[in-house]
Amino acid sequence: MKKFNFKRILFAGMLAMLAAGPVLAEELVVYSARNEQLIKPLFDAYTAETGVEFKYITDKEGPLMERLKAEGKNTPADLLITVDAGNLWHAANEGLLQPVNSAVLAKNVPPFLRDADNQWFGLSLRARTIVYSTERVKPEELSTYEALGEPQWKGRLLLRTSKKVYNQSLVAMMIAEHGEQKTEQIVRSWVANLAAPPTSNDTQLMEAILAGQGDVGIVNTYYFGRLQKENPDIKLALFWPNQKQEKSGVHVNVSGAGVTKHAKHKEAAVKFLEWLSSEKAQNIFADANMEYPVNPAVQAHADVAAWGEFQKSPFNLTQAGALQGDAIKLMDRSEYR
């Protein structure tokens, strides 16, 4: 009698589990190179919707990738979130991520904003574009990234340090477009036009323009958006370069994520990735950091949309990673520090 009851209870339990559908993790572990204030609202929203909890650590992308390497199969991390396609490419190239086949991600993330082997996916988009003083520059004086090396900008150009991955990716994409020889000529012409040594960050660059140290520079759009939020009457504006060339456009880059190679909760991690590409999550990204959605079906925040539409560079961002080593050597040869 006791034996019969045990089997009946076990069978009932199995039926209940099957009826409940796939078992998701109750907790996901995320390694993130994005700041807590940018990712926590996403975690909180997903937890409220699904009950899945998060454990996470934030650090620079380099230490996080080294940690993943050292932990190997024992890593607790299910997902790696970081900025710049170059970093995502390195993570995939180092064997830290795994391919994800998802019809949802394929639909929501355009091919040029994700890895060709589906090891990482862009989740928010920023443009690295020209910023200028509205007091000393007329927009009709501007045209392309390359033209910032022309004599009229002598002693007027400001750049962020070449050590930052954002400029390395920009130069990598220029190599893809022009080849190394021409790109080196362009970078050398930028260096010759510098008004001051390269700055450590984009905000410092724009503050230098406001202070009159230079007139033009190259920055990520969301840095401009943060300053504009603090000061709506700021004497700076964005310019979209390279709009008249058929196979060119504004250099765009992404923050993105991939499922770690040894994820303990792959299915749940993919579900979360898919959610991050949804309308709800894309709007959280946009509101938190003035970034563009990668999902073409989602509108940009009104303040971001007010900057105007532009033609994006058509190069797949995988090239930003593949050519980054060449870009770093080229910038060093050009004495771009």
Side-chain angles (χ1 to χ4, degrees):
M1 186 69 180
K2 283 183 180 176
K3 188 175 181 181
F4 171 77
N5 282 343
F6 173 76
K7 282 185 175 179
R8 190 168 61 178
I9 292 168
L10 180 64
F11 184 64
M14 290 173 65
L15 283 179
M17 287 175 67
L18 289 171
V23 179
L24 293 178
E26 294 180 347
E27 184 177 89
L28 282 171
V29 179
V30 180
Y31 288 180
S32 173
R34 304 220 74 184
N35 294 332
E36 181 176 359
Q37 69 265 26
L38 298 177
I39 56 170
K40 192 167 183 305
L42 292 157
F43 295 159
D44 290 345
Y46 193 67
T47 299
E49 192 171 310
T50 65
V52 175
E53 300 281 351
F54 289 88
K55 280 186 178 175
Y56 58 91
I57 58 171
T58 60
D59 203 339
K60 299 287 186 188
E61 55 277 357
L64 289 178
M65 285 190 234
E66 288 303 316
R67 185 171 181 148
L68 278 172
K69 274 190 217 173
E71 291 171 341
K73 292 180 180 177
N74 297 320
T75 185
D78 297 303
L79 283 153
L80 174 68
I81 297 176
T82 187
V83 296
D84 200 283
N87 290 327
L88 292 159
W89 180 87
H90 279 299
N93 203 43
E94 292 286 339
L96 302 177
L97 305 177
Q98 62 174 299
V100 169
N101 293 315
S102 160
V104 174
L105 288 165
K107 178 186 174 188
N108 291 348
V109 184
F112 80 107
L113 300 178
R114 52 182 155 93
D115 177 45
D117 295 324
N118 293 321
Q119 295 200 58
W120 54 262
F121 298 84
L123 297 173
S124 64
L125 184 146
R126 70 284 300 275
R128 191 149 189 82
T129 193
I130 293 174
V131 65
Y132 65 94
S133 164
T134 54
E135 294 180 308
R136 299 184 298 279
V137 177
K138 294 177 181 174
E140 53 268 30
E141 295 179 81
L142 296 161
S143 57
T144 64
Y145 298 108
E146 294 84 346
L148 293 177
E150 291 180 353
Q152 73 179 98
W153 302 111
K154 182 78 173 176
R156 301 172 71 190
L157 175 64
L158 291 167
L159 292 174
R160 184 173 180 163
T161 173
S162 63
K163 293 180 176 60
K164 189 63 190 178
V165 69
Y166 302 145
N167 282 343
Q168 294 167 5
S169 290
L170 171 63
V171 172
M173 297 305 282
M174 292 175 76
I175 292 174
E177 185 174 354
H178 299 301
E180 278 204 41
Q181 188 175 4
K182 185 175 177 183
T183 302
E184 186 167 335
Q185 290 171 358
I186 294 163
V187 173
R188 284 183 182 278
S189 69
W190 287 353
V191 173
N193 278 354
L194 284 176
T199 61
S200 61
N201 63 65
D202 286 3
T203 303
Q204 197 178 74
L205 186 155
M206 287 184 283
E207 288 171 344
I209 293 178
L210 290 170
Q213 285 184 281
D215 295 337
V216 294
I218 299 174
V219 297
N220 279 355
T221 43
Y222 59 87
Y223 287 107
F224 171 78
R226 291 176 191 169
L227 282 187
Q228 192 182 44
K229 231 177 188 178
E230 294 171 7
N231 177 12
D233 298 322
I234 195 167
K235 304 296 184 186
L236 296 173
L238 296 176
F239 179 83
W240 307 121
N242 300 58
Q243 297 298 283
K244 294 182 179 176
Q245 293 98 327
E246 190 177 336
K247 294 183 178 178
S248 187
V250 175
H251 171 58
V252 294
N253 211 316
V254 292
S255 70
V259 176
T260 60
K261 183 177 181 180
H262 301 293
K264 305 295 187 296
H265 309 103
K266 180 180 178 182
E267 185 182 353
V270 173
K271 291 283 183 192
F272 179 56
L273 263 184
E274 290 174 341
W275 182 84
L276 287 173
S277 72
S278 70
E279 182 175 353
K280 182 174 184 177
Q282 291 283 293
N283 281 321
I284 295 174
F285 269 121
D287 293 346
N289 200 36
M290 306 287 284
E291 293 177 281
Y292 292 91
V294 294
N295 186 332
V298 181
Q299 298 291 319
H301 186 282
D303 291 344
V304 174
W307 300 336
E309 295 185 356
F310 59 91
Q311 174 182 309
K312 303 178 185 70
S313 169
F315 287 96
N316 189 295
L317 287 181
T318 301
Q319 294 178 323
L323 292 170
Q324 208 160 78
D326 294 334
I328 293 169
K329 291 175 189 170
L330 186 155
M331 294 159 95
D332 190 51
R333 288 199 303 274
S334 306
E335 299 185 351
Y336 177 11
R337 304 300 182 219

